[in-house]
C-alpha cells in the first residue's frame, strides 16, 4: 500500500471558478427495469439512484469535458490558463490523452495538457496534481476538469453496474494564491492499494491482454466490479482519509459545514457520514438525480450546490473519494465567493 500527503505550501492553489455539464438524455429506473431484471424499488433502496444522465450516440468524454470547462472558465472570468488537467477513466481513445484536444477546443492550444487516471478518485488526484503545478511555479492558472462517460464502459446488460454508473463532467479553475485565502485547497491526502486492483477492472484492451495474443474473453472489454467488497473498502477508506485530511488542515470534525463525497452509492455516503459524526443536513448529495458519474462526481456536486444555495462562501467543506485501483483521497476547502 502506498500513501502520501502534502502540507500546504505558502503558495497555494485557490479555486476561482466552477462549472458542470450533464448530457441531456435521461434514463429512469423504470427505463432500466423495462429491459433488465431489476426494479425501481431495488435500485432506490440499494443505491439511492432514481435517474441518471447518459451520453447520446456519438457523444464522447471530451464533449462533456469541453462544456464543463467552458462554464468553469466563464465562472472564473478567466480567458486563459497555463495547464489543462483532465481526470477520466473513459478517454475518447486509448491514445493519445483526451486533455490536449479538450484544451484546443477551449481555445487553450499550446498549454500543458494531460489526463489523470484514478477512476472515481480522479478529481482529488487531479486536484493534488494541479495544486502541485501551481506550488512548483509551473503554472499560475490551471483548468481542472473531471469527466466520465461510464455508460460507454459498462455492460448495458449487467444489472449490477448498469443501474449505478452514469455520465457527466465538472470543472474548477485554480490560480496561485495564499494558503490563508478563501478557496485555498487544503492538504490533500491520497492513497492506493494495487493488491486489490481486480475489485474494479476492465480486463481487456490493455497491454496485458493484447500481448497475450488472446482475443478478449466474453465481457472482458466491459467494466467489472465486485460490489460488496468495494462497498466495504469505500466506507473504510473514505472515513480514514477524511479524518486524516481534517487533522492535516487543523480542523475538528465540528468545523465541517458541508460534506462533499464521491457519489458512489447513497448507503455508502450515509455510512461514512455516520462514522465521521456528520449529520444529514451537512451532507451534499445529488446521486438520486445523477447516479455515480465517476471522477466527475465531486465537482458536479459542488457546482450544483453552489448554484442551488446548498453551498455558501465561507463554509468549511470536506471532500473525499474512493475508486478503482484501489485509490482514495480527501481534502478540505473553505468555499470561496464564486460566480455560477
Ligand atoms: N436489481 C435487482 N437485483 C440485483 C441487482 C439489480 N440491479 N443487482 C444485483 N442484484 C441482486 C444480486 O444478483 C444478488 O442476488 P442473489 O442474492 O440472488 O445472489 C442480490 O441482488 C444482492 O446482491 P449484492 O451485490 O450482494 O447487493 P448489494 O446490496 O451489495 O448491492 C451494489 C449491490 C449496489 C452494487 C452494492 O454492493 C454497492 O453499491 N457496492 C458499491 C458499488 C459502488 O459504490 N461502486 C462505486 C465505487 S467505486 C467507483 O465509483 C468506481
Amino acid at each position: 500500500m502506498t500513501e502520501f500527503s502534502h502540507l500546504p505550501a505558502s503558495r497555494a492553489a485557490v479555486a476561482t471558478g466552477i462549472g458542470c455539464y450533464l448530457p441531456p438524455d435521461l434514463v429512469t429506473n423504470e427505463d432500466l427495469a423495462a429491459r433488465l431484471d431489476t426494479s425501481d424499488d431495488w435500485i432506490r433502496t440499494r443505491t439511492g439512484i432514481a435517474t441518471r444522465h447518459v451520453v447520446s450516440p456519438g457523444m464522447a468524454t471530451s464533449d462533456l469535458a469541453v462544456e464543463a470547462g467552458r462554464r468553469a472558465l466563464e465562472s472564473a472570468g478567466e480567458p486563459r490558463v497555463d495547464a489543462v488537467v483532465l481526470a477520466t477513466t473513459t478517454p475518447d481513445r486509448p491514445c493519445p490523452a483526451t486533455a490536449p484536444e479538450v484544451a484546443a477546443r477551449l481555445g487553450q492550444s499550446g498549454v500543458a495538457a494531460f489526463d489523470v487516471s484514478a477512476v472515481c478518485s480522479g478529481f482529488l488526484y487531479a486536484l493534488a496534481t494541479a495544486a502541485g503545478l501551481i506550488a512548483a511555479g509551473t503554472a499560475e492558472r490551471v483548468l481542472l476538469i473531471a469527466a466520465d462517460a461510464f455508460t460507454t464502459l459498462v455492460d448495458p446488460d449487467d444489472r449490477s453496474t448498469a443501474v449505478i454508473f452514469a455520465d457527466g463532467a465538472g470543472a474548477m479553475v485554480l490560480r496561485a494564491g495564499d494558503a490563508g485565502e478563501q478557496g485555498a485547497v487544503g492538504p490533500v491526502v491520497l492513497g492506493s492499494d494495487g493488491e486489490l486492483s481486480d475489485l474494479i477492472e476492465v480486463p481487456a484492451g490493455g497491454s496485458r491482454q493484447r500481448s497475450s495474443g488472446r482475443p478478449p474473453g466474453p465481457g472482458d472489454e466491459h467494466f467489472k466490479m465486485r460490489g460488496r467488497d468495494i462497498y466495504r473498502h469505500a466506507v473504510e477508506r473514505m472515513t480514514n482519509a477524511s479524518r486524516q485530511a481534517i487533522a492535516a488542515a487543523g480542523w475538528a470534525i465540528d468545523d465541517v459545514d458541508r460534506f462533499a463525497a464521491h457519489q458512489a452509492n447513497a448507503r455508502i455516503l450515509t455510512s461514512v457520514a455516520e462514522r465521521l459524526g456528520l449529520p444529514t443536513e451537512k451532507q451534499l448529495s445529488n446521486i438520486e438525480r445523477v447516479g455515480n458519474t465517476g471522477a466527475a462526481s465531486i465537482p458536479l456536486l459542488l457546482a450544483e450546490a453552489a448554484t442551488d444555495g446548498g453551498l455558501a462562501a465561507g463554509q468549511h467543506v470536506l471532500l473525499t473519494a474512493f475508486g478503482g485501483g484501489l485509490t482514495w483521497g480527501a481534502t478540505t476547502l473553505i468555499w470561496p465567493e464564486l460566480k455560477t
Side-chain angles (χ1 to χ4, degrees), residues 202-256:
V202 179
S207 57
R208 180 76 65 202
Q209 176 260 318
R210 285 169 188 264
S211 78
S212 75
R214 287 191 298 275
D220 278 357
E221 283 172 301
H222 284 126
F223 180 92
K224 295 179 196 293
M225 175 177 72
R226 300 228 311 258
R228 257 198 198 164
D229 294 326
I230 286 294
Y231 192 107
R232 192 164 50 79
H233 285 285
V235 171
E236 193 184 312
R237 299 306 190 179
M238 285 198 279
T239 305
N240 291 342
S242 294
R243 289 196 177 120
Q244 288 171 29
I246 288 170
W251 295 6
I253 195 71
D254 287 346
D255 293 330
V256 176

Coordinates of all heavy atoms in Angstrom, one line a residue, residues 202-256:
V202 N -11.4 -3.3 -16.0 CA -11.8 -3.6 -17.4 C -10.7 -4.5 -17.9 O -9.6 -4.1 -18.2 CB -11.9 -2.3 -18.3 CG1 -12.2 -2.7 -19.7 CG2 -12.8 -1.3 -17.8
P203 N -10.9 -5.9 -17.9 CA -9.8 -6.8 -18.1 C -9.1 -6.7 -19.4 O -7.9 -7.0 -19.5 CB -10.5 -8.2 -17.9 CG -11.7 -7.9 -17.1 CD -12.2 -6.5 -17.6
A204 N -9.8 -6.4 -20.5 CA -9.3 -6.4 -21.8 C -9.0 -5.0 -22.4 O -9.4 -4.0 -21.8 CB -10.2 -7.1 -22.8
G205 N -8.1 -4.9 -23.4 CA -7.9 -3.7 -24.1 C -6.6 -3.0 -23.7 O -6.2 -2.0 -24.3
G206 N -5.9 -3.6 -22.7 CA -4.6 -3.0 -22.3 C -3.5 -3.9 -22.7 O -3.7 -4.9 -23.4
S207 N -2.3 -3.6 -22.3 CA -1.1 -4.3 -22.8 C -1.1 -5.8 -22.3 O -0.6 -6.7 -23.0 CB 0.2 -3.6 -22.3 OG 0.2 -3.5 -20.9
R208 N -1.6 -6.0 -21.1 CA -1.7 -7.4 -20.6 C -2.4 -8.3 -21.5 O -1.9 -9.4 -22.0 CB -2.3 -7.4 -19.2 CG -2.4 -8.8 -18.5 CD -1.1 -9.3 -18.0 NE -0.6 -8.5 -16.9 CZ 0.7 -8.4 -16.5 NH1 1.6 -9.1 -17.2 NH2 1.1 -7.6 -15.5
Q209 N -3.6 -8.0 -21.9 CA -4.4 -8.8 -22.7 C -3.9 -8.8 -24.2 O -3.8 -9.9 -24.8 CB -5.9 -8.3 -22.7 CG -6.8 -9.1 -23.7 CD -7.1 -8.3 -24.9 OE1 -7.3 -7.1 -24.9 NE2 -7.1 -9.0 -26.1
R210 N -3.5 -7.6 -24.7 CA -3.0 -7.6 -26.0 C -1.7 -8.4 -26.3 O -1.6 -9.1 -27.3 CB -2.8 -6.1 -26.4 CG -4.0 -5.3 -26.7 CD -3.7 -3.8 -26.8 NE -5.0 -3.1 -26.8 CZ -5.6 -2.7 -27.9 NH1 -5.0 -3.0 -29.1 NH2 -6.7 -2.0 -27.9
S211 N -0.8 -8.3 -25.3 CA 0.5 -9.0 -25.5 C 0.3 -10.5 -25.4 O 1.1 -11.3 -25.8 CB 1.5 -8.5 -24.5 OG 1.3 -9.1 -23.3
S212 N -0.8 -11.0 -24.8 CA -1.1 -12.4 -24.6 C -1.4 -13.0 -25.9 O -1.3 -14.3 -26.1 CB -2.2 -12.6 -23.6 OG -3.5 -12.3 -24.3
G213 N -1.8 -12.2 -26.9 CA -2.2 -12.7 -28.2 C -3.6 -13.4 -28.2 O -4.0 -13.8 -29.3
R214 N -4.2 -13.4 -27.0 CA -5.5 -14.0 -27.0 C -6.6 -12.9 -27.2 O -6.4 -11.8 -26.6 CB -5.8 -14.6 -25.6 CG -5.0 -15.9 -25.4 CD -5.5 -16.6 -24.1 NE -5.3 -15.9 -22.9 CZ -4.1 -15.9 -22.2 NH1 -3.1 -16.6 -22.6 NH2 -4.0 -15.1 -21.1
P215 N -7.6 -13.2 -27.9 CA -8.7 -12.2 -28.0 C -9.4 -12.0 -26.7 O -9.3 -12.9 -25.8 CB -9.7 -12.9 -29.0 CG -9.4 -14.3 -29.0 CD -8.0 -14.5 -28.5
P216 N -10.0 -10.9 -26.5 CA -10.7 -10.6 -25.2 C -11.8 -11.7 -24.9 O -12.4 -12.2 -25.8 CB -11.4 -9.3 -25.4 CG -10.8 -8.7 -26.6 CD -10.2 -9.8 -27.4
G217 N -11.9 -12.1 -23.6 CA -12.9 -13.1 -23.3 C -14.3 -12.4 -23.3 O -14.4 -11.2 -23.4
P218 N -15.4 -13.2 -23.2 CA -16.7 -12.6 -23.2 C -16.9 -11.5 -22.1 O -16.6 -11.8 -20.9 CB -17.6 -13.8 -23.0 CG -16.8 -15.0 -23.1 CD -15.3 -14.6 -23.0
G219 N -17.2 -10.3 -22.5 CA -17.5 -9.3 -21.5 C -16.2 -8.6 -20.9 O -16.3 -7.7 -20.1
D220 N -15.1 -9.0 -21.4 CA -13.8 -8.5 -20.8 C -13.5 -7.1 -21.2 O -12.6 -6.4 -20.6 CB -12.6 -9.4 -21.2 CG -12.5 -10.6 -20.3 OD1 -13.3 -10.7 -19.3 OD2 -11.6 -11.5 -20.5
E221 N -14.2 -6.6 -22.2 CA -14.0 -5.1 -22.5 C -14.9 -4.2 -21.7 O -14.9 -3.0 -21.9 CB -14.1 -5.0 -24.0 CG -12.9 -5.5 -24.7 CD -13.0 -5.5 -26.2 OE1 -13.9 -6.2 -26.7 OE2 -12.2 -4.9 -26.9
H222 N -15.7 -4.8 -20.9 CA -16.6 -4.0 -20.0 C -16.1 -3.9 -18.6 O -15.3 -4.7 -18.1 CB -18.0 -4.6 -20.0 CG -18.8 -4.4 -21.3 ND1 -19.3 -5.4 -22.0 CD2 -19.0 -3.3 -21.9 CE1 -19.9 -4.9 -23.1 NE2 -19.8 -3.6 -23.1
F223 N -16.6 -2.9 -17.9 CA -16.3 -2.6 -16.6 C -16.9 -3.6 -15.6 O -18.1 -3.9 -15.7 CB -16.9 -1.2 -16.3 CG -16.7 -0.7 -14.9 CD1 -15.6 0.2 -14.6 CD2 -17.6 -0.9 -13.9 CE1 -15.4 0.7 -13.4 CE2 -17.4 -0.4 -12.6 CZ -16.3 0.4 -12.4
K224 N -16.0 -4.2 -14.8 CA -16.5 -5.2 -13.8 C -16.2 -4.7 -12.4 O -15.2 -4.1 -12.2 CB -15.8 -6.6 -14.0 CG -16.0 -7.2 -15.4 CD -15.2 -8.5 -15.5 CE -15.1 -9.0 -16.9 NZ -16.4 -9.4 -17.5
M225 N -17.1 -5.0 -11.5 CA -17.0 -4.5 -10.1 C -17.4 -5.6 -9.2 O -18.5 -6.2 -9.3 CB -17.8 -3.3 -10.0 CG -17.8 -2.7 -8.6 SD -18.7 -1.2 -8.4 CE -20.4 -1.8 -8.6
R226 N -16.6 -5.9 -8.1 CA -17.1 -6.7 -7.0 C -17.7 -5.9 -6.0 O -17.1 -5.3 -5.1 CB -15.9 -7.5 -6.5 CG -15.2 -8.4 -7.6 CD -14.9 -9.8 -7.1 NE -14.2 -9.9 -5.9 CZ -12.9 -10.2 -5.7 NH1 -12.1 -10.3 -6.7 NH2 -12.4 -10.3 -4.5
G227 N -19.0 -5.7 -6.2 CA -19.8 -4.6 -5.5 C -19.7 -4.7 -4.0 O -19.5 -3.7 -3.3
R228 N -19.8 -5.9 -3.4 CA -19.8 -6.0 -1.9 C -18.5 -5.6 -1.3 O -18.4 -4.9 -0.3 CB -20.2 -7.4 -1.5 CG -21.6 -7.4 -1.0 CD -22.0 -8.5 -0.2 NE -23.4 -8.5 -0.2 CZ -24.2 -9.5 0.1 NH1 -23.6 -10.6 0.5 NH2 -25.5 -9.4 0.1
D229 N -17.4 -6.1 -1.9 CA -16.0 -5.8 -1.4 C -15.8 -4.3 -1.6 O -15.2 -3.7 -0.7 CB -15.0 -6.6 -2.2 CG -15.1 -8.1 -2.0 OD1 -15.5 -8.4 -0.8 OD2 -14.8 -8.9 -2.9
I230 N -16.2 -3.7 -2.7 CA -16.0 -2.3 -3.0 C -16.7 -1.5 -1.9 O -16.2 -0.5 -1.4 CB -16.5 -1.9 -4.4 CG1 -15.5 -2.4 -5.4 CG2 -16.7 -0.4 -4.5 CD1 -14.1 -1.8 -5.4
Y231 N -17.9 -1.9 -1.6 CA -18.7 -1.2 -0.6 C -17.9 -1.1 0.7 O -17.8 0.0 1.3 CB -20.0 -2.0 -0.4 CG -21.1 -1.3 0.4 CD1 -22.2 -0.9 -0.3 CD2 -21.0 -1.2 1.7 CE1 -23.2 -0.3 0.4 CE2 -22.0 -0.6 2.4 CZ -23.1 -0.1 1.8 OH -24.1 0.5 2.5
R232 N -17.4 -2.2 1.2 CA -16.7 -2.3 2.5 C -15.4 -1.4 2.4 O -15.2 -0.6 3.3 CB -16.3 -3.7 2.7 CG -15.8 -4.1 4.1 CD -15.8 -5.6 4.3 NE -15.2 -6.3 3.3 CZ -13.8 -6.5 3.1 NH1 -13.0 -5.9 4.0 NH2 -13.3 -7.2 2.1
H233 N -14.6 -1.5 1.4 CA -13.4 -0.7 1.3 C -13.7 0.8 1.1 O -13.0 1.6 1.7 CB -12.5 -1.2 0.1 CG -11.8 -2.4 0.4 ND1 -10.8 -2.5 1.3 CD2 -12.1 -3.7 0.0 CE1 -10.4 -3.8 1.3 NE2 -11.1 -4.5 0.6
A234 N -14.8 1.1 0.4 CA -15.1 2.5 0.2 C -15.5 3.2 1.5 O -15.0 4.3 1.8 CB -16.3 2.6 -0.8
V235 N -16.2 2.5 2.3 CA -16.6 3.1 3.6 C -15.4 3.3 4.5 O -15.1 4.4 5.0 CB -17.6 2.2 4.3 CG1 -17.9 2.7 5.8 CG2 -19.0 2.2 3.6
E236 N -14.5 2.3 4.5 CA -13.4 2.4 5.4 C -12.4 3.4 4.9 O -11.9 4.3 5.7 CB -12.7 1.0 5.4 CG -11.7 0.8 6.5 CD -11.0 -0.5 6.3 OE1 -11.7 -1.5 6.2 OE2 -9.8 -0.6 6.3
R237 N -12.1 3.4 3.6 CA -11.1 4.3 3.1 C -11.5 5.8 3.1 O -10.7 6.7 3.4 CB -10.7 3.9 1.7 CG -10.1 2.5 1.5 CD -8.9 2.3 2.4 NE -8.3 1.1 2.1 CZ -7.2 0.6 2.7 NH1 -6.7 1.3 3.7 NH2 -6.6 -0.5 2.3
M238 N -12.8 6.0 2.8 CA -13.2 7.4 2.8 C -13.3 8.0 4.2 O -13.0 9.1 4.4 CB -14.5 7.6 2.0 CG -14.4 7.5 0.5 SD -15.8 8.1 -0.4 CE -16.9 6.8 -0.4
T239 N -13.7 7.1 5.1 CA -13.7 7.6 6.5 C -12.3 7.9 7.0 O -12.1 9.0 7.6 CB -14.3 6.5 7.4 OG1 -15.6 6.1 6.9 CG2 -14.5 6.9 8.8
N240 N -11.4 7.0 6.8 CA -10.0 7.3 7.3 C -9.3 8.5 6.6 O -8.7 9.3 7.2 CB -9.1 6.0 7.1 CG -9.6 4.9 8.0 OD1 -10.3 5.1 9.0 ND2 -9.2 3.7 7.7
A241 N -9.5 8.5 5.3 CA -8.9 9.7 4.5 C -9.5 11.0 5.0 O -8.8 12.0 5.1 CB -9.1 9.5 3.0
S242 N -10.8 11.0 5.3 CA -11.4 12.2 5.7 C -10.9 12.6 7.1 O -10.6 13.8 7.3 CB -13.0 12.0 5.9 OG -13.5 11.7 4.6
R243 N -10.7 11.7 8.0 CA -10.1 12.0 9.3 C -8.7 12.6 9.1 O -8.4 13.6 9.8 CB -10.1 10.8 10.2 CG -11.5 10.3 10.6 CD -11.4 9.4 11.8 NE -12.7 9.0 12.2 CZ -13.2 7.8 12.2 NH1 -12.5 6.8 11.8 NH2 -14.5 7.6 12.7
Q244 N -7.9 12.0 8.2 CA -6.6 12.5 8.0 C -6.5 13.9 7.4 O -5.8 14.7 7.8 CB -5.8 11.6 7.1 CG -5.4 10.2 7.7 CD -4.9 9.2 6.7 OE1 -4.3 9.6 5.7 NE2 -5.1 8.0 6.9
A245 N -7.4 14.1 6.5 CA -7.5 15.5 5.8 C -7.9 16.5 6.8 O -7.4 17.7 6.8 CB -8.4 15.4 4.6
I246 N -8.9 16.2 7.7 CA -9.3 17.2 8.7 C -8.2 17.5 9.7 O -8.0 18.7 10.0 CB -10.6 16.6 9.4 CG1 -11.8 16.6 8.5 CG2 -10.9 17.4 10.7 CD1 -12.9 15.8 9.1
A247 N -7.5 16.5 10.1 CA -6.4 16.7 11.0 C -5.3 17.5 10.4 O -4.7 18.4 11.0 CB -5.8 15.3 11.5
A248 N -5.0 17.2 9.1 CA -3.9 17.9 8.4 C -4.2 19.4 8.2 O -3.3 20.2 8.2 CB -3.6 17.2 7.0
A249 N -5.5 19.6 8.1 CA -5.9 21.0 7.9 C -6.0 21.8 9.3 O -6.3 23.0 9.3 CB -7.3 21.1 7.2
G250 N -5.9 21.0 10.4 CA -6.0 21.7 11.7 C -7.4 21.9 12.1 O -7.7 22.8 12.9
W251 N -8.4 21.2 11.4 CA -9.8 21.3 11.8 C -10.2 20.2 12.8 O -9.5 19.2 12.9 CB -10.7 21.1 10.5 CG -10.5 22.2 9.4 CD1 -9.7 23.2 9.4 CD2 -11.3 22.2 8.2 NE1 -9.8 23.9 8.2 CE2 -10.9 23.3 7.5 CE3 -12.4 21.5 7.7 CZ2 -11.4 23.7 6.2 CZ3 -12.9 21.8 6.5 CH2 -12.5 22.9 5.8
A252 N -11.4 20.5 13.4 CA -12.1 19.4 14.2 C -13.3 19.0 13.3 O -13.7 19.8 12.5 CB -12.5 20.0 15.5
I253 N -13.8 17.9 13.6 CA -15.0 17.4 12.8 C -16.1 18.4 12.9 O -16.9 18.6 11.9 CB -15.4 16.0 13.2 CG1 -16.3 15.4 12.1 CG2 -16.1 15.9 14.6 CD1 -15.6 15.0 10.9
D254 N -16.3 19.1 14.0 CA -17.4 20.0 14.1 C -17.2 21.3 13.3 O -18.2 22.0 13.1 CB -17.6 20.4 15.6 CG -18.2 19.3 16.4 OD1 -18.7 18.4 15.8 OD2 -18.1 19.4 17.7
D255 N -16.0 21.5 12.8 CA -15.7 22.6 11.9 C -16.3 22.4 10.5 O -16.5 23.4 9.8 CB -14.2 22.9 11.8 CG -13.6 23.3 13.0 OD1 -14.3 24.0 13.9 OD2 -12.4 23.0 13.2
V256 N -16.6 21.2 10.2 CA -17.1 20.9 8.8 C -18.5 21.3 8.7 O -19.4 20.9 9.4 CB -17.0 19.3 8.5 CG1 -17.5 19.0 7.1 CG2 -15.5 18.9 8.6

